[in-house]
Amino acid sequence: MSSGTATTTRSLTQSLAKSPRLRRIQWIAVAFLTAAGIINYVDRSALSIANTAIRDEMALSPAQMGWLLSAFSLAYAFSQLPVGALLDRIGSRIMLGAGMFFWSLAQLVSGFVANFQQFVVARAVLGLGEAPQFPAGAKTVSEWFSLRERGTPTGIFVASSCIGPCIAPPLLTAMMLGLGWRWMFVVTGLVGIVVAVGWYLVYRNRAEVALSRDEVAHLDEGANPEPPARRMTFSEWRGLFAHATTWGMILGFMGVIYMVWLYLTWLPSYLEHERGLSVARTGWVVAIPYVFGTLGMLCAGQAADRLLARGAGIVASRKWPVCVGLLGGGAFTVPAAYTPSVTLAVVYICLAMFFINMASGAAWMMVSVAVPKRQVASLGSIQNFGGYFAGSFAPVITGYIVQGTGSYVNALLAAAAVAVLAAVAYIVLVRKPLEGSENLILTERTA
């Protein structure tokens, strides 16, 4: 290790004093982001949990259900690009608060749909509303945590993408069996509206808080200071696409979300129809892989911070957990497709979910260190656009494969191949922070 890198590592591991007020602001923000993320994924999961009941009541084919499941992700993907730019100009308080309110309203309205077309519209609005969630989280962490400590809070709030699907199956299945699938949508929508109001009333963007000199010094430790009034410009936003790192992040996240969305949308149906589990039992078994996914997210944050503390470059500390996660997710999906044992299939899916969610968590950690704070939401939304554009095809492709073959084997193998190709793209293209990043102050070991 060079003396410059050693000096950088020491500067990152030696923290300036953190005031009690700043600590309180940080963890209130993380708590709200985590709660919002859990609600976000509970709402996304509702359709897959009620898959069989909705198909029976509305007489939908597997292919139609695939399109209904994809209506969310297509709207979510294409809304990412404007949402990221708006977040970097307006801030997380308004954008996430408004988004959460409207997605919860769409969730509530889903309980009153009368036909396939109305359901498609409701799911599309849900996707539009949920679009700010994770770019806003990345921006919030970049504003309220210093460079050296962003891994752990990022790992915590993105773990909500596993905690939500983990608690959703037993919770939503119980609600569906007790109240019916329509009231399940209504109740979850009302909960989201309450949290949206709480976020807007409690949270403040960094620019809205008068910080002391010591608090500013702590937050800006290890990074180049930015002029406080400088905002993201369209030219800077467009320039993000000129970097190989951006394209590597997009392609890598395509593999992450394709696999995540495959399991999120079709796992309950897979366990019922391919593995013969009852609806009630499926509600509990589906939760198990998401426990492992949550552990993967949390491990990603710890791994990134420890790699950085031990001298890995700022990019390398995020890059390798992403690549290992993608390869591991693909590797364990293959035996899940072929094993005749229900128990082993669940075990392999649990391990695949651990690794693919480790990759997801580390990918969001990359966002918060690859560009200046004023560009974090934009880069995060670009990454998310790529991921969900690819992910939107997972339910549709799976629906057609299941309809054509009567089996999920080829659908799982296709997801594994996508994950491996995404890992290769990440290894080749993601090598350094983007030009102009606050983190170029660091002596970077790119690979």
Side-chain angles (χ1 to χ4, degrees):
M1 182 186 302
S2 69
S3 60
T5 302
T7 301
T8 297
T9 302
R10 285 194 298 272
S11 69
L12 287 171
T13 54
Q14 293 172 354
S15 173
L16 296 172
K18 184 188 299 186
S19 70
R21 180 180 72 151
L22 185 54
R23 194 181 302 275
R24 182 172 63 253
I25 290 172
Q26 289 177 332
W27 293 108
I28 287 175
V30 171
F32 264 105
L33 288 173
T34 305
I38 291 171
I39 293 168
N40 184 300
Y41 267 82
V42 167
D43 291 351
R44 295 188 198 191
S45 302
L47 182 60
S48 61
I49 296 299
N51 187 320
T52 300
I54 292 171
R55 282 167 59 183
D56 291 345
E57 181 175 326
M58 294 189 168
L60 303 179
S61 69
Q64 283 180 306
M65 180 56 70
W67 281 110
L68 185 55
L69 290 163
S70 289
F72 165 88
S73 53
L74 284 169
Y76 183 87
F78 282 98
S79 60
Q80 288 295 313
L81 300 179
V83 158
L86 287 170
L87 270 164
D88 279 326
R89 293 190 66 83
I90 298 173
S92 299
R93 182 190 179 202
I94 291 176
M95 287 296 295
L96 180 54
M100 201 185 320
F101 178 84
F102 284 107
W103 100 51
S104 300
L105 189 61
Q107 178 78 352
L108 187 154
V109 170
S110 295
F112 299 97
V113 295
N115 54 51
F116 173 73
Q117 291 77 15
Q118 290 177 1
F119 218 151
V120 168
V121 172
R123 292 292 292 183
V125 175
L126 182 75
L128 291 171
E130 290 197 0
Q133 169 68 39
F134 289 95
K139 184 171 184 65
T140 298
V141 169
S142 71
E143 287 188 347
W144 286 112
F145 288 85
S146 67
L147 184 63
R148 64 172 186 82
E149 61 181 357
R150 291 176 191 170
T152 296
T154 302
I156 292 172
F157 94 77
V158 297
S160 62
S161 65
C162 284
I163 298 171
C166 177
I167 67 174
L171 175 65
L172 295 179
T173 299
M175 292 174 62
M176 182 176 65
L177 294 176
L179 302 174
W181 68 265
R182 292 183 179 276
W183 276 103
M184 175 187 72
F185 280 96
V186 172
V187 171
T188 51
L190 289 172
V191 171
I193 289 172
V194 171
V195 177
V197 173
W199 166 265
Y200 180 78
L201 293 177
V202 173
Y203 178 75
R204 293 294 183 272
N205 299 321
R206 177 173 168 177
E208 299 170 335
V209 179
L211 298 173
S212 70
R213 182 178 301 177
D214 287 344
E215 288 170 334
V216 171
H218 173 84
L219 293 175
D220 291 340
E221 180 187 5
N224 279 326
E226 294 184 62
R230 187 175 177 186
R231 290 186 173 185
M232 178 75 168
T233 66
F234 177 72
S235 177
E236 288 177 318
W237 180 86
R238 185 180 58 195
L240 294 174
F241 291 94
H243 299 276
T245 293
T246 300
W247 288 103
M249 292 170 68
I250 292 171
L251 294 170
F253 212 57
M254 283 181 170
V256 170
I257 300 302
Y258 187 97
M259 187 166 284
V260 165
W261 203 235
L262 167 74
Y263 283 124
L264 182 69
T265 55
W266 281 104
L267 185 56
S269 179
Y270 165 79
L271 292 172
E272 291 174 32
H273 296 103
E274 185 92 353
R275 297 297 179 175
L277 300 185
S278 67
V279 174
R281 190 178 177 194
T282 295
W284 289 101
V285 174
V286 167
I288 299 172
Y290 288 101
V291 173
F292 284 81
T294 302
L295 294 174
M297 290 279 192
L298 297 175
C299 286
Q302 292 294 317
D305 284 345
R306 289 183 181 182
L307 285 170
L308 184 61
R310 292 181 181 181
I314 193 71
V315 166
S317 66
R318 273 75 175 158
K319 172 180 177 175
W320 293 114
V322 172
C323 296
V324 169
L326 283 165
L327 293 172
F332 284 107
T333 296
V334 173
Y338 284 116
T339 180
S341 167
V342 176
T343 300
L344 282 178
V346 173
V347 169
Y348 289 135
I349 290 171
C350 286
L351 293 171
M353 290 291 282
F354 173 89
F355 281 104
I356 203 66
N357 282 284
M358 181 173 73
S360 180
W364 278 109
M365 293 166 207
M366 182 71 79
V367 170
S368 70
V369 302
V371 288
K373 286 188 286 292
R374 70 180 186 281
Q375 297 177 321
V376 164
S378 293
L379 182 60
S381 67
I382 289 168
Q383 172 180 272
N384 223 17
F385 163 75
Y388 276 88
F389 179 75
S392 65
F393 291 100
V396 175
I397 292 171
T398 302
Y400 279 110
I401 291 174
V402 172
Q403 186 169 300
T405 66
S407 171
Y408 288 81
V409 171
N410 289 336
L412 292 173
L413 295 180
V418 169
V420 171
L421 291 173
V424 172
Y426 215 88
I427 290 169
V428 173
L429 296 174
V430 179
R431 302 187 62 82
K432 62 182 180 180
L434 276 64
E435 184 179 352
S437 168
E438 61 180 346
N439 305 311
L440 291 180
I441 193 171
L442 303 178
T443 301
E444 179 61 41
R445 294 200 305 173
T446 58

